[in-house]
Amino acid sequence: MSGKRAVIAGIGHTEFSQNSGRSTMQLAAEASLASIRDAGFSPAEVDGTVTFSMDTNDELALIRSLGVPMLRFCARTRGGGGGASATVQLAAAAVESGQADAVLVYRAFNERSGHRFGQPVQANPDPAWNWASPFSLNTPAKVYSLTFQRYMYEFGLTNEDFGRYTVVARDWASTNPNAQFFERPITLQDHQDSRWIVEPILRKLDCCLESDGGVALLITTAERAADHGSDAVPILGSSAIQLEGGHEMFAYYHDDLCEYPEGRVLGEQLYRQAGITAADIDVAMIYENFSPIVFLQLEAFGFCGRGEASDFIKDGHIGRGGSLPTNTNGGLLGEGYIHGMNNIVEGVRQLRGTSSNQISGAEHVLVSAGRSGIILGR
Amino acid sequence: MTTVRPPIFDFDDAFFWEGAKNHKLLIQQCGDCEVLRHPPTPICANCGSMNNQATESAGEGSILTWIISQHPTEPDAEPRIVILVQLDEGTRIVSNLIDVAPTHDQVLNDKRVEVCFVDYDGTVLPQFRLAEVQS
Ligand SMILES: [Zn+2]
């Protein structure tokens, strides 16, 4: 491996909860400091930051908390949770090009006790909402369900099929002490007893958690990480795909409503960069704001064929002992919803051998946020 | 009574909402290469032209996908059926199906629909009804 290769050298996070009882800036700063220390760095060595378009934690306020004297690279990626893995792409590009030596990636919010993304929009945030909210598409659950319905219709699925994903996620979460649903596994019947959010498509247990918390990563080059004694995990591929006509909310204008074209192109990019195929992925971390999006991604990344995700899950592939352990931290339905960033932490842990649900011999982990993704590997 | 959240008029889509007020379903069309596009954009991605026009849709199409939106605006508001319509002209639009009970025990996918216009307290929206002829 080239010493110039970007690596994730440090990970940090707060607890994931329903009410953190402190400011989002404190969450961001705590997670950041933890990731810097985990990498064996000092704050004075950080010279770059990356976060999301929707993060409210100002970079300059953050570095005043951390004691970072100077930034020479400062970037934000678009698109909410879909950009989770794009943060790593930006940071990797910065350190591999020499624009920065050590880039802090962070994301923190009080998404449960403060502003809740799942609530109805009160005003159109941008013109794209003009083509939705006047017609009563006013929550993320409804906006996404409009595409999920066609997928269910096309392949003859019911909400029980989606429930089988949630059961697996909650099983993984039940043995992860960091998870909001630690020691709280569910049965399919529990899932079917949860209330409808968009009948007959999504129930409450198909929806991601709303969480308070912060996650941070420290990204640098392999040689710098080695100098600092970090337990570093190489980034073998990173990409973020936007397609003309596509949208992270209103995916209504692609020819085929039953596929996730950004995910398909993303998978092709990542496998090419890493020099591997879908069959080489040992653990998949797949962003799920809602359970059906896992189905679309399993198909998009080539783990199974079009319309086959339901059987793939039913046959046990994504659970314990399966061929593709998926969301081994419990995912965003089971561990917590830090906009997908917590899935990157789990990907790093799987390769360090420190996951609560360690998959022995894991060599390649895909961490997908649907339209952005990374492949981590040893 | 159904209340709706009014659109926020934007330079690029004002023509659409003006059209709706006049009970016309307008689709943006390039004045040079004649390609149709929705949602509207300021420049034609096909040829680079800024010569933007609008053509009136025949208002006929079929339902690609649909959901029932509970609590559509206010918690106690009547549910509405939201549909994604594939217009026969080739573009797609999100709208509502009216005059059909919002129940799950029906298959609305691929049903033929035709446009109508409803004034919701000053906001005129293109809406759809099931077409009499289902081909
Ligand atoms: Zn043109």
Side-chain angles (χ1 to χ4, degrees):
Chain A
M1 187 184 72
S2 156
K4 304 288 180 209
R5 160 94 73 186
V7 298
I8 300 180
I11 53 176
H13 61 85
T14 65
E15 80 287 2
F16 309 134
S17 74
Q18 293 198 306
N19 190 349
S20 71
R22 51 207 196 277
S23 70
T24 62
M25 180 53 73
Q26 181 165 348
L27 298 172
E30 285 179 23
S32 296
L33 194 56
S35 74
I36 295 165
R37 288 179 174 161
D38 180 58
F41 278 59
S42 75
E45 294 174 285
V46 172
D47 61 353
T49 61
V50 178
T51 186
F52 290 54
S53 54
M54 294 168 78
D55 199 277
T56 59
N57 301 294
D58 181 66
E59 289 85 346
L60 300 185
L62 179 63
I63 65 172
R64 285 185 55 231
S65 271
L66 297 174
V68 172
M70 176 193 75
L71 294 178
R72 57 191 185 110
F73 181 84
C74 209
R76 289 188 172 223
T77 186
R78 72 177 308 288
S85 294
T87 60
V88 176
Q89 178 195 29
L90 290 173
V95 299
E96 287 183 352
S97 67
Q99 291 288 336
D101 293 339
V103 177
L104 174 67
V105 174
Y106 68 91
R107 179 79 176 108
F109 49 33
N110 284 319
E111 209 266 321
R112 180 62 180 79
S113 65
H115 173 70
R116 301 173 65 180
F117 296 158
Q119 297 297 303
V121 292
Q122 293 307 316
N124 291 350
D126 68 65
W129 281 90
N130 268 359
W131 312 105
S133 66
F135 307 100
S136 300
L137 281 183
N138 58 343
T139 64
K142 292 177 193 175
V143 166
Y144 276 86
S145 287
L146 195 59
T147 50
F148 298 154
Q149 193 276 337
R150 182 78 202 191
Y151 181 83
M152 294 171 80
Y153 171 73
E154 197 96 0
F155 300 117
L157 304 187
T158 68
N159 173 261
E160 255 191 53
D161 292 294
F162 299 148
R164 287 192 186 88
Y165 167 73
T166 306
V167 170
V168 173
R170 291 288 295 269
D171 178 52
W172 287 122
S174 72
T175 51
N176 169 12
N178 292 323
Q180 285 181 253
F181 282 127
F182 178 52
E183 295 182 332
R184 291 172 65 190
I186 60 162
T187 64
L188 187 56
Q189 191 58 50
D190 293 331
H191 175 273
Q192 290 295 294
D193 290 342
S194 71
R195 72 182 167 89
W196 285 113
I197 301 297
V198 182
E199 189 178 3
I201 302 161
L202 298 179
R203 293 181 185 272
K204 185 165 192 292
L205 293 182
D206 293 301
C207 303
C208 64
L209 284 153
E210 297 177 295
S211 308
D212 290 7
V215 170
L217 312 167
L218 192 79
I219 292 172
T220 186
T221 58
E223 61 190 10
R224 276 194 198 88
D227 288 345
H228 288 74
S230 324
D231 188 358
V233 169
I235 301 160
L236 304 185
S238 63
S239 189
I241 303 297
Q242 313 296 340
L243 297 178
E244 183 183 3
H247 196 277
E248 50 274 320
M249 297 290 287
F250 310 112
Y252 304 151
Y253 307 102
H254 293 307
D255 287 343
D256 184 354
L257 289 173
C258 296
E259 77 149 5
Y260 196 155
E262 287 88 354
R264 175 172 46 75
V265 177
L266 173 64
E268 292 162 3
Q269 293 275 331
L270 293 177
Y271 297 144
R272 187 176 49 73
Q273 288 179 24
I276 63 171
T277 69
D280 297 314
I281 299 293
D282 302 304
V283 177
M285 301 301 302
I286 296 182
Y287 183 96
E288 20 51 309
N289 45 6
F290 304 108
S291 57
I293 205 76
V294 175
F295 291 57
L296 287 159
Q297 289 180 73
L298 287 171
E299 295 170 14
F301 298 128
F303 297 122
C304 58
R306 179 184 155 85
E308 293 175 0
S310 171
D311 285 338
F312 189 76
I313 292 170
K314 204 184 288 180
D315 293 345
H317 286 284
I318 70 167
R320 289 179 208 271
S323 64
L324 184 74
T326 299
N327 295 348
T328 49
N329 57 352
L332 311 184
L333 269 61
E335 183 180 61
Y337 182 75
I338 311 297
H339 242 169
M341 293 294 293
N342 46 318
N343 283 352
I344 301 174
V345 168
E346 173 68 5
V348 170
R349 288 202 170 117
Q350 284 291 355
L351 290 165
R352 286 179 170 180
T354 58
S355 168
S356 303
N357 293 310
Q358 185 60 44
I359 304 305
S360 67
E363 289 181 7
H364 296 105
V365 178
L366 169 72
V367 187
S368 161
R371 56 188 57 232
S372 73
I374 53 178
I375 290 177
L376 304 175
R378 281 295 189 189
Chain B
M1 199 187 99
T2 301
T3 59
V4 304
R5 188 169 302 286
I8 296 167
F9 280 37
D10 183 76
F11 263 111
D12 298 327
D13 61 29
F15 76 92
F16 179 90
W17 305 106
E18 289 296 332
K21 260 186 213 165
N22 297 313
H23 291 202
K24 290 182 195 305
L25 180 60
L26 298 182
I27 306 173
Q28 192 181 44
Q29 181 171 36
C30 176
D32 289 309
C33 75
E34 300 188 341
V35 163
L36 299 175
R37 53 193 201 264
H38 182 85
T41 59
I43 298 179
C44 172
N46 185 51
C47 75
S49 170
M50 284 184 271
N51 178 11
N52 298 322
Q53 303 176 352
T55 187
E56 186 175 356
S57 166
E60 295 175 4
S62 52
I63 297 175
L64 283 172
T65 181
W66 63 288
I67 63 161
I68 296 171
S69 175
Q70 301 283 350
H71 322 300
T73 322
E74 308 300 330
D76 57 349
E78 290 294 303
R80 296 169 82 191
I81 299 179
V82 183
I83 57 177
L84 177 64
V85 180
Q86 177 75 57
L87 291 171
D88 290 348
E89 288 86 355
T91 56
R92 293 179 186 171
I93 184 171
V94 171
S95 183
N96 303 103
L97 185 67
I98 63 168
D99 297 345
V100 170
T103 59
H104 304 291
D105 54 352
Q106 56 187 336
V107 177
L108 294 174
N109 298 82
D110 304 327
K111 290 275 195 251
R112 296 287 299 167
V113 289
E114 48 197 36
V115 78
C116 57
F117 293 86
V118 179
D119 186 333
Y120 295 102
D121 199 22
T123 299
V124 180
L125 296 182
Q127 304 278 270
F128 287 80
R129 291 193 177 95
L130 288 177
E132 280 183 24
V133 181
Q134 292 289 329
S135 52

